[in-house]
Every structure is written in structure tokens, then in C-alpha cells.
Amino acid sequence: MATAEDEALTRAVARLAAAVEALAHAPAARPGTAASRHVTVAYAVHAALFARLRLSGEDLAAHPVHAGLKRVRAYMEKARKADRGGGVFAPAPAPALRVDVPAAARHIA
């Protein structure tokens, strides 16, 4: 038999699922925006579950949600870098030019 708290949680999860579904299928202005939106939705879902577990007194250090939250944070950072034009696929910066003074002295002498 479901309690009032269980029913409220079920309704809240259903509302969250509907909101996530609407966000997931909304058109994006550019490709990077869609990736950021998907990662942000995943973070919101993980954060909500994390908060629920924390309030119920679960051991969060060993819980898989904690690892999932860390993984989604890493994805968020990658998406943020990609939106700014950098990130994983950005070209490597050119090495700084410097003069090897002892080698130059040997060639000049």
C-alpha cells in the first residue's frame, strides 16, 4: 500500500520525466546548445536523486549516484569547453619559440 509520501514522489517524478522529455526533443539553435542541454538535464536528474538519497540518510560515498554525478560534471565541463570553441577537438597551441643560447653560440663561433 502506497503512502502519501510515495504518491507525492511518484507525481514529482512523473512531472520531472515530462519536463525532461520536452527539453530533450526541443529544437536547438546550434549543435553545441543541444549537447549542453542534454548534459544539464542529466545533471539535474542526478542532483535531484542525490538530494533525495541524502535526505533519506543513505551512504552517498559508496552509492552509484555519486559516481554518476561526478561523471556528468565531467561531461558538463567538456560541453562548456566545446561551446566556447575549445575543448577536446581544439587544436593544440603552438609551442613558444625560444632561442637555445649555447647552441647559437656554438654555431656563430
Side-chain angles (χ1 to χ4, degrees), residues 20-41:
V20 167
E21 187 70 25
L23 278 174
H25 291 91
R30 54 193 171 95
T33 307
S36 293
R37 184 178 55 226
H38 287 295
V39 172
T40 303
V41 168

